Amino acid sequence: MSVPVAPVPVIPASVVSVPVVSVAYHSGYGHTAVLAEAVRAGAAEAGAEVHLIKVDEITEEQWTLLDGSDAIVFGSPTYMGTASGAFHAFAEATSARWATQAWRDKLAAGFTNSGSKSGDKLHTLQFFQILAAQLGMHWVNLGLLPGWNSSTGSENDLNRLGVFLGAAAQTNVDEGPEAVHKADVATAEHLGRRVAETARLFRNGRAQAA
């Protein structure tokens, strides 16, 4: 007696669409820009339309791009235990979007770099998460187990710093952007892919529900 197999639901081609991901970041010395590019590459690899936006040079056209994005990934170096002043200025400028909840139900994620292994990077990522919550957004975590935490581990493991909230990187303070650790770059790429894939699920789910 054969066991009936449930039909696999088919998503109409008209429903499948390209998610739009924007990476809104500030980079003081170029290290965080390397991570921003890695997030962009990962999201693009996953099929998203991706926009890189420097928040200290943001234009009205770029604000419009953010308004039209399915997901916004926040990025900043960690300075004195929090995001940079330039990113804080951008965060305060989002108050107009907060007042109207214009970004409600978009996805959000974050990444940061500091000179120390810890460097209080978690506080920067929590700042991003609270900002996203105030704007009514849904947070996408890193989705990786920690690496480099056993005798068989390596500093080349993904998530080598063991952070769950977002992508974290460490770069020596006396080295330039070229010294951003390859494992941290790969971790940021992973975050970009995860955000794009989640954005696609949300976008298609909304289309089907409608």
Side-chain angles (χ1 to χ4, degrees):
M1 179 178 179
S2 61
V3 179
V5 178
V8 177
V10 177
I11 301 175
S14 59
V15 172
V16 178
S17 56
V18 176
V20 180
V21 176
S22 287
V23 183
Y25 74 98
H26 172 247
S27 184
Y29 298 96
H31 307 89
T32 310
V34 172
L35 299 177
E37 172 56 31
V39 172
R40 185 209 64 76
E45 180 185 328
E49 173 188 329
V50 192
H51 303 282
L52 285 179
I53 297 173
K54 296 180 180 180
V55 298
D56 53 332
E57 302 175 1
I58 192 167
T59 64
E60 283 303 318
E61 180 182 8
Q62 289 173 325
W63 278 109
T64 300
L65 284 175
L66 292 175
D67 293 339
S69 298
D70 297 293
I72 302 173
V73 186
F74 301 129
S76 168
T78 294
Y79 293 155
M80 303 302 291
T82 188
S84 65
F87 192 92
H88 273 270
F90 163 76
E92 289 184 18
T94 65
S95 60
R97 271 71 184 171
W98 169 81
T100 61
Q101 290 292 279
W103 292 358
R104 182 179 181 85
D105 292 332
K106 294 183 185 298
L107 301 180
F111 60 94
T112 187
N113 175 83
S114 72
S116 300
K117 293 292 188 295
S118 169
D120 291 323
K121 286 186 280 283
L122 178 60
H123 186 261
T124 298
L125 294 172
Q126 289 173 328
F127 168 71
F128 292 158
Q129 189 179 43
I130 292 170
L131 173 65
Q134 290 182 333
L135 291 162
M137 304 170 79
H138 302 292
W139 187 260
V140 179
N141 58 51
L142 184 59
L144 282 175
L145 291 173
W148 202 21
N149 64 354
S150 70
S151 60
T152 59
S154 163
E155 67 174 291
N156 296 311
D157 293 341
L158 289 179
N159 195 18
R160 69 186 182 111
L161 299 179
V163 178
F164 294 91
L165 203 57
Q170 180 273 331
T171 312
N172 293 332
V173 297
D174 57 351
E175 294 186 286
E178 70 284 350
V180 176
H181 202 289
K182 299 304 181 185
D184 296 340
V185 172
T187 299
E189 289 175 350
H190 167 86
L191 179 65
R193 286 191 296 271
R194 181 169 169 82
V195 169
E197 290 162 359
T198 305
R200 186 185 300 278
L201 288 173
F202 267 63
R203 189 181 182 100
N204 292 338
R206 290 192 184 103
Q208 287 186 306

